[in-house]
Amino acid sequence: MLKKVYYDDKMLFLKRNKDHVIVSPENFSYIKVNEELKFLITSIMENDGQIELDELSDKILHKFSKKATPQEISVQINKLIDTHIFFQKHEDLILNKNNSIKENYKNIDNNPKEAYIHMSLRCNLNCSYCYNKENINNGQHELDTKTWIDIIKTLQNEGIDHFIFTGGEPLIRDDIVDILKIAKTSNTKTGLLTNGTLLYNKFEEVMPYLDYVTLSLDSLNEMTNTLNRGQFGFKSILTLLERASKDSKDKVSVRSVITKNNVAEIEQFHKIIKDKYGLRTTSVGYLPNKFDEINKYVHYDDSTCNGSNIGIRIKPCGACTNLIAIGPEGNIYPCQCLISKENTIGNILNDNWKQQVSDSRITKLFKNLTVDDIEYCKDCEIRYFCGGGCRALAHNIYGDMSEAVKFLCEFQKKRVRNILTSSNFKWEDFNHQHF
């Protein structure tokens, strides 16, 4: 008979309506249980993993006025072992973590599938929070239409099946439709990230070649929106929302950036967009581009945090592994947030561009860095949920891609707890019995 079990000493217990969420961060495990089973787990942990079935039966009877036989308790403990909350041997506990990390590594694709396409870094707005503000309207050379068509075809031949057109403002290019026609095939997905000011006049032309459009808008109050983004184009965006609501609700979503200017009205803004226009919404917090801007980050209530699911990951993101970004001159970057000379990992126009990317010091850093390598993160109980945070933020704020994004830690912890306890979270049922 089992006398002792072993478990993650960083176990988290979160309340979710009438149930509880039990999270084992070290073992990549999380389950939803009822009050009785949560009591069983904590009772065993309080006894340092020692199992006394008769004593546990008495405790449950005293606590819940319910009879739980030693056999019933044993069944529940075995199920907890099956779900990797408990382990029969200490070496099993260690082995499970190591195997989970190895399995996570298997899911890392070293052949990028997504490409952020920056045909231009010109923009007709002046958003205060733009992550590319250092590059916007700096007169960068732009490749011509034919060259971009060749680039898209090259990327398709190399397995890229998801193209995200961004900028700058991608619709500022007159040839955007010609490029989209090539990018969109039966085997590829295409997306457009736009400020929306130019989309209404090109709506009929571009929409057939797009799977989704993410439209930026921060407020339905013109003055508030102007504080974030500048004066141009507000009324044309409202007209665009009306147009999108007619037959493109499945393609168009609205994304807002939360700043001190609009945080007080953000929830009402999202409600109106959904109720009046029937469009999906998302929001992101203001993310600073340098250390001096951290004070602009808004510690907003985490009820405004979107998301209904979460995954286990040991790496911060997919830069260089699952995705790349292409600049207007053909330079290749790890992601859309690291467009700078120092972060160039190749040029798509070079015959040996794949070798350039593979040999890049930055590529190797992204492929090898895990959250356990970040000193500040290595003992955090949610590190395998956040993956260590955005490496672009670490670079832009602290000057080191291997640094922890410390100013976001509390938000990330709240976010993980919020999602795990959300009624929208997609749970695989844990088939526990009620004693």
Side-chain angles (χ1 to χ4, degrees):
M1 182 178 292
L2 190 63
K3 296 293 185 182
K4 183 176 174 64
V5 292
Y6 299 85
Y7 51 86
D8 180 359
D9 60 7
K10 293 185 174 66
M11 199 91 75
L12 300 177
F13 293 85
L14 308 173
K15 183 70 174 169
R16 182 184 184 271
N17 300 325
K18 295 181 179 180
D19 295 316
H20 296 269
V21 178
I22 314 296
V23 183
S24 176
E26 296 291 306
N27 290 294
F28 299 72
S29 305
Y30 45 100
I31 61 171
K32 179 180 67 175
V33 299
N34 59 18
E35 184 71 32
E36 295 95 324
L37 195 51
K38 185 249 186 180
F39 179 76
L40 174 64
I41 294 169
T42 55
S43 296
I44 292 173
M45 291 176 65
E46 287 168 1
N47 201 31
D48 195 30
Q50 299 291 336
I51 295 174
E52 301 289 346
L53 293 176
D54 290 333
E55 182 179 323
L56 288 168
S57 181
D58 290 341
K59 281 188 173 183
I60 291 169
L61 180 62
H62 182 264
K63 175 75 174 177
F64 299 102
S65 300
K66 294 180 179 180
K67 178 67 174 175
T69 68
Q71 291 78 13
E72 289 173 327
I73 295 172
S74 182
V75 167
Q76 296 303 313
I77 293 173
N78 285 329
K79 288 184 178 180
L80 291 167
I81 291 171
D82 290 340
T83 54
H84 294 164
I85 295 298
F86 285 155
F87 294 85
Q88 297 186 53
K89 301 176 182 178
H90 186 260
E91 51 264 38
D92 291 342
L93 175 67
I94 304 302
L95 182 63
N96 180 75
K97 178 183 176 181
N98 292 336
N99 287 341
S100 296
I101 290 175
K102 289 178 183 177
E103 191 63 32
N104 206 277
Y105 261 115
K106 286 182 183 178
N107 295 328
I108 297 171
D109 192 345
N110 289 328
N111 295 307
K113 299 297 183 185
E114 294 184 10
Y116 281 79
I117 305 297
H118 302 74
M119 292 172 57
S120 175
L121 287 173
R122 289 176 286 150
C123 190
N124 55 352
L125 292 186
N126 184 30
C127 300
S128 60
Y129 46 71
C130 179
Y131 63 79
N132 246 337
K133 70 170 76 174
E134 296 298 321
N135 299 312
I136 295 299
N137 297 324
N138 281 348
Q140 294 94 336
H141 172 68
E142 296 178 12
L143 301 174
D144 61 25
T145 306
K146 181 182 182 305
T147 305
W148 272 115
I149 288 176
D150 290 341
I151 288 172
I152 296 297
K153 290 179 178 178
T154 295
L155 292 172
Q156 287 171 333
N157 290 336
E158 292 300 330
I160 299 289
D161 59 12
H162 185 185
F163 294 94
I164 303 102
F165 290 86
T166 181
E169 170 50 50
L171 295 176
I172 215 162
R173 291 266 308 214
D174 293 332
D175 57 356
I176 183 66
V177 178
D178 297 323
I179 307 301
L180 287 174
K181 285 180 180 179
I182 301 300
K184 180 58 188 167
T185 72
S186 59
N187 298 317
T188 59
K189 184 178 181 180
T190 53
L192 179 72
L193 309 184
T194 175
N195 64 35
T197 57
L198 305 176
L199 181 55
Y200 183 81
N201 290 333
K202 296 185 177 182
F203 197 85
E204 306 295 338
E205 294 179 273
V206 301
M207 291 306 288
Y209 306 105
L210 290 166
D211 291 288
Y212 65 91
V213 174
T214 301
L215 166 69
S216 298
L217 185 65
D218 296 336
S219 176
L220 291 172
N221 179 299
E222 185 171 6
M223 183 176 296
T224 302
N225 197 68
T226 297
L227 289 173
N228 272 10
R229 293 155 51 89
Q231 288 184 314
F232 180 74
F234 179 75
K235 289 183 171 58
S236 65
I237 295 175
L238 296 186
T239 304
L240 173 63
L241 293 178
E242 293 281 1
R243 174 66 187 84
S245 69
K246 293 179 180 178
D247 57 18
S248 299
K249 292 178 183 178
D250 58 330
K251 284 190 176 183
V252 179
S253 65
V254 177
R255 180 169 64 189
S256 56
V257 176
I258 301 174
T259 70
K260 294 177 181 178
N261 299 321
N262 67 343
V263 63
E265 59 188 68
I266 198 69
E267 291 192 37
Q268 182 65 15
F269 167 76
H270 282 268
K271 185 177 186 305
I272 294 174
I273 293 294
K274 292 173 184 176
D275 293 349
K276 182 175 180 179
Y277 302 104
L279 301 178
R280 291 170 289 113
T281 66
T282 60
S283 60
V284 294
Y286 175 97
L287 297 176
N289 288 289
K290 52 188 177 182
F291 187 83
D292 293 344
E293 293 180 355
I294 288 180
N295 64 342
K296 295 182 180 180
Y297 172 72
V298 179
H299 294 271
Y300 56 94
D301 185 275
D302 116 293
S303 63
T304 60
C305 171
N306 300 111
S308 61
N309 217 328
I310 195 168
I312 300 291
R313 55 194 180 129
I314 62 171
K315 295 184 71 63
C317 67
C320 292
T321 56
N322 297 325
L323 65 90
I324 54 174
I326 313 291
E329 68 297 284
N331 282 344
I332 305 172
Y333 306 96
C335 74
Q336 74 279 17
C337 297
L338 285 171
I339 295 183
S340 66
K341 184 177 180 180
E342 65 181 309
N343 292 314
T344 304
I345 59 176
N347 188 291
I348 193 69
L349 301 181
N350 294 332
D351 291 338
N352 67 335
W353 67 270
K354 288 176 65 179
Q355 192 64 46
Q356 286 182 325
V357 171
S358 178
D359 292 343
S360 166
R361 172 190 61 83
I362 296 173
T363 298
K364 291 174 181 176
L365 183 149
F366 272 103
K367 286 185 176 180
N368 295 321
L369 182 69
T370 75
V371 65
D372 286 324
D373 298 319
I374 302 172
E375 184 67 26
Y376 188 81
C377 302
K378 67 180 185 180
D379 293 320
C380 176
E381 69 270 15
I382 67 141
R383 68 187 184 280
Y384 295 133
F385 290 102
C386 86
C390 174
R391 295 300 90 204
L393 278 177
H395 173 270
N396 295 339
I397 296 172
Y398 304 109
D400 184 353
M401 288 189 195
S402 302
E403 261 292 338
V405 187
K406 298 176 183 176
F407 81 96
L408 274 180
C409 287
E410 287 308 309
F411 168 76
Q412 290 283 29
K413 290 176 181 178
K414 287 182 180 178
R415 172 180 170 272
V416 169
R417 287 172 169 80
N418 183 55
I419 293 176
L420 285 173
T421 56
S422 167
S423 58
N424 294 324
F425 189 82
K426 303 297 187 286
W427 286 99
E428 292 183 10
D429 290 335
F430 180 73
N431 188 24
H432 61 269
Q433 297 175 358
H434 292 261
F435 294 126

